[in-house]
Amino acid sequence: MKNQIPPSQRDQIYSEEQPMLVDFRFDERVTAVFSDMIRRSVPGYGEIISLLGLFALNYSQPNSNIYDLGCSLGASTLALRERIAAGGCSIIAVDNSEAMIKQCAENLQQIESTIDVDLRCADIRDIEINNASVVVLNFTLQFIPLEQRAALMQRIYQGMLPGGVLILSEKVAFNDPQEQQQQEALHIAFKQANGYSEMEISQKRAALEKVLVPETIAAHQKRLTKAGFSSANVWFQCLNFTSIVATK
Ligand code: GEK
């Protein structure tokens, strides 16, 4: 798990004590170190990214839209773009962090492709979703207030084509207190093994407390079913991080 990236791109945001800890934000500072941060913090992230293309391969429909909602630096967009099999598809990638969108645009330009990416700096709660064959929410829904999640899922469902899929990746919680405690401890061990100190872990946890709200897998499945999806199955899990595929 040795890290060999340049110091300016290494996540050290919480490495010093912060007496006035503010809520976590996807600003320029986070954007600069985001790739390092997410890989060292989210178990299974790299694996999910490398497998996401399979959904584009199997589910992209001719002349349809593929959405990456909460695209950050474009890792999911790039994985999807590489594997889209159907003709006439466009990708719509959305994030409400200006810093992320700016860097994402540069990242997308570095790899040639004939597939259009419409990159938008916008709130995913405001954008129109239509003609969608594949929709990806890779660790984004967890940042939407709980009471607004059902409406978003319904809008996504309504904007999807029959046979389309929604990929929903989330940090999850567990009803069983013992399982919750065990998974949390393993997640902390994962971060420590990736070079984060106890102070970094606890300060980041406090900054994220009100911003990132995990739910159980069952709660996600119930909401997806209520929105109309005919199935909502876990296709990936690594510790307390899960990805669900919901089919219209
Ligand atoms: C990846 N999917 O690398 N509207 C738009 N964007 C939002 C909103 C919102 N309401 N809320 C949060 N975001 C990416 C990783 S990161 C996950 C996604 C993480 C954006 C936010 O700006 C950030 O870029 C992204 O969602 C979440 O596959 O940091 O754990």
Side-chain angles (χ1 to χ4, degrees), residues 41-55:
S41 310
V42 176
Y45 172 80
E47 203 65 37
I48 290 178
I49 293 293
S50 66
L51 293 171
L52 268 183
L54 301 180
F55 292 97

Side-chain angles (χ1 to χ4, degrees), residues 17-246:
E17 197 170 348
Q18 299 184 14
M20 294 279 287
L21 201 62
V22 292
D23 282 351
F24 187 84
R25 289 179 55 232
F26 292 97
D27 55 15
E28 272 148 28
R29 232 172 131 216
V30 167
T31 298
V33 299
F34 184 73
S35 289
D36 179 58
M37 173 186 279
I38 196 156
R39 280 171 201 282
R40 286 162 70 211
S41 310
V42 176
Y45 172 80
E47 203 65 37
I48 290 178
I49 293 293
S50 66
L51 293 171
L52 268 183
L54 301 180
F55 292 97
L57 189 65
N58 278 15
Y59 293 97
S60 55
Q61 299 180 31
N63 307 311
S64 66
N65 292 326
I66 290 169
Y67 286 85
D68 181 8
L69 303 177
C71 60
S72 300
L73 300 179
S76 300
T77 296
L78 285 169
L80 294 164
R81 191 172 71 171
E82 201 187 324
R83 295 260 180 253
I84 291 173
C89 289
S90 302
I91 302 182
I92 297 153
V94 185
D95 205 290
N96 65 351
S97 156
E98 266 179 44
M100 287 286 188
I101 288 291
K102 203 166 152 231
Q103 185 59 49
C104 183
E106 283 179 29
N107 294 352
L108 295 180
Q109 268 169 17
Q110 275 167 28
I111 299 170
E112 265 184 50
S113 170
T114 53
I115 295 167
D116 261 6
V117 179
D118 174 1
L119 191 56
R120 299 185 194 165
C121 188
D123 195 304
I124 60 169
R125 290 166 292 185
D126 298 334
I127 61 150
E128 196 193 327
I129 293 174
N130 59 45
N131 192 31
S133 56
V134 179
V135 178
V136 170
L137 275 166
N138 203 35
F139 302 108
T140 306
L141 187 68
Q142 59 197 15
F143 295 105
I144 301 293
L146 272 180
E147 69 282 5
Q148 296 175 12
R149 293 180 187 181
L152 176 60
M153 285 304 130
Q154 277 157 18
R155 269 196 323 104
I156 291 174
Y157 177 80
Q158 279 154 14
M160 285 174 61
L161 294 165
V165 287
L166 164 66
I167 312 303
L168 174 65
S169 310
E170 290 276 292
K171 180 177 188 185
V172 291
F174 300 87
N175 281 328
D176 174 12
Q178 234 181 332
E179 188 175 12
Q180 176 66 31
Q181 195 269 331
Q182 183 178 47
Q183 292 285 5
E184 254 177 51
L186 286 165
H187 184 214
I188 290 171
F190 173 85
K191 293 205 211 181
Q192 281 173 335
N194 282 330
Y196 284 118
S197 69
E198 263 179 51
M199 188 176 68
E200 282 178 292
I201 294 169
S202 75
Q203 291 196 132
K204 171 113 184 266
R205 173 174 292 240
L208 275 172
E209 201 169 13
K210 289 190 232 116
V211 182
L212 190 169
V213 182
E215 294 175 275
T216 62
I217 294 172
H220 285 296
Q221 288 172 319
K222 191 171 163 197
R223 183 183 296 117
L224 290 164
T225 307
K226 207 166 165 210
F229 289 96
S230 62
S231 64
N233 300 318
V234 171
W235 68 274
F236 185 91
Q237 183 166 357
C238 190
L239 304 182
N240 46 349
F241 291 80
T242 298
S243 193
I244 293 171
V245 53

